[in-house]
Amino acid sequence: MAELGYLIAGNWKMNGLSGDAKALAAAVAAGAGAAPAGVDLLICPPAAHLALAGDAIAGTAVRLGGQDCHEAAGGAFTGDISAEMLKDLGCSHVIVGHSERRDGHAEGDALVWRKASAALRAGLIPIVCVGETEQERLSGKAEETVARQVRASVPDGADGTCLAVAYEPVWAIGSGRTPTNDEIAAVHKAMRAALVGLLGDAKGASVKLLYGGSVKPGNAKEILAIHNVNGALVGGASLKAADFLGIAAAAGA
Ligand code: PGA
């Protein structure tokens, strides 16, 4: 699926103060020109730093994304941020359904579907995250779990111009462990099939499928070469500009 190009997305999670975010965004922006053709770079800073990170990447090809959004456009929702607010801040993407939201905030597929729909409503590209737990992997249910999450979390009618899906095995996030290449290939194949079933052949084939979970410069090349892997969602390694840019360089290698 190299014809889809690659999206390399950095999920900064809840890390860094404003000075750190400004420096990191500026360093990514400074190196972005060296990214291979067809490789898009996206940074997803904490909401508190979106505006200053947006300023630091202004005029470059680096894109800005949120880490979560509320399903409503506005209202009495203390502490939340709407997709429309993210769009207004210059975001092009928003991560929804990350396992740290699904687990830590009890978000299920139905809510993730509504958040992804809110992103589409606001003109943002949702990156819908799915992934099995270690128990589901050990009991041979990884593909089945992920396909079910795709069917229940992805709004129908979307296509690759307005949607991305990320496979993030819960046990691989922040652990330094990754599935084998064959395991990644099998899950991405199941995700592709689920998307084709939901959206139809052409639309289902047009959606970028990202892999996330302990992606580093040292393993990026082989992971990004796997069939149906069209990018990476990077956590820890996205906090160092050199590592993040190294992953992007691997996408074109
Ligand atoms: P990690 O996180 O790269 O630190 O494993 C990935 C993610 O949670 O998006």
Side-chain angles (χ1 to χ4, degrees):
M1 285 280 160
E3 66 273 17
L4 296 185
Y6 288 100
L7 174 64
I8 307 298
N11 174 10
W12 296 3
K13 309 191 179 181
M14 195 175 73
N15 289 295
L17 299 181
S18 57
D20 305 305
K22 205 169 169 177
L24 181 53
V28 170
V39 178
D40 292 332
L41 296 181
L42 170 72
I43 57 170
C44 300
H49 304 325
L50 278 169
L52 63 86
D55 286 346
I57 60 171
T60 76
V62 182
R63 305 174 88 183
L64 190 66
Q67 297 178 9
D68 179 49
C69 66
H70 195 276
E71 64 186 277
F77 303 105
T78 302
D80 279 310
I81 186 163
S82 71
E84 281 76 2
M85 291 171 185
L86 294 173
K87 178 80 177 171
D88 189 42
L89 280 164
C91 290
S92 55
H93 292 69
V94 60
I95 299 166
V96 294
H98 191 281
S99 69
E100 288 151 18
R101 302 290 316 177
R102 288 179 184 263
D103 292 348
H105 299 262
E107 296 190 2
D109 287 329
L111 178 57
V112 176
W113 186 94
R114 295 198 301 275
K115 289 185 173 202
S117 300
L120 295 175
R121 178 190 69 216
L124 293 176
I125 299 173
I127 301 174
V128 178
C129 299
V130 296
E132 82 282 4
T133 62
E134 183 147 39
Q135 193 48 49
E136 287 162 338
R137 159 69 58 190
L138 291 173
S139 53
K141 294 202 170 115
E143 284 96 323
E144 174 189 328
T145 301
V146 165
R148 191 187 64 237
Q149 289 175 330
V150 167
R151 284 193 295 271
S153 307
V154 171
D156 47 11
D159 63 27
T161 64
C162 60
L163 170 74
V165 177
Y167 168 48
E168 297 211 309
V170 177
W171 52 273
I173 295 174
S175 66
R177 295 157 62 207
T178 54
T180 66
N181 294 348
D182 285 350
E183 287 169 342
I184 295 174
V187 172
H188 278 241
K189 187 178 174 196
M191 288 160 72
R192 183 68 73 198
L195 282 170
V196 163
L198 190 67
L199 309 174
D201 287 350
K203 288 181 176 179
S206 71
V207 176
K208 282 195 180 82
L209 304 183
L210 315 187
Y211 169 78
S214 298
V215 179
K216 301 176 182 66
N219 62 16
K221 188 175 171 189
E222 58 173 318
I223 290 174
L224 291 166
I226 297 169
H227 186 55
N228 275 318
V229 174
N230 317 112
L233 182 52
V234 186
S238 73
L239 297 174
K240 284 194 185 141
D243 286 357
F244 185 62
L245 293 167
I247 291 167

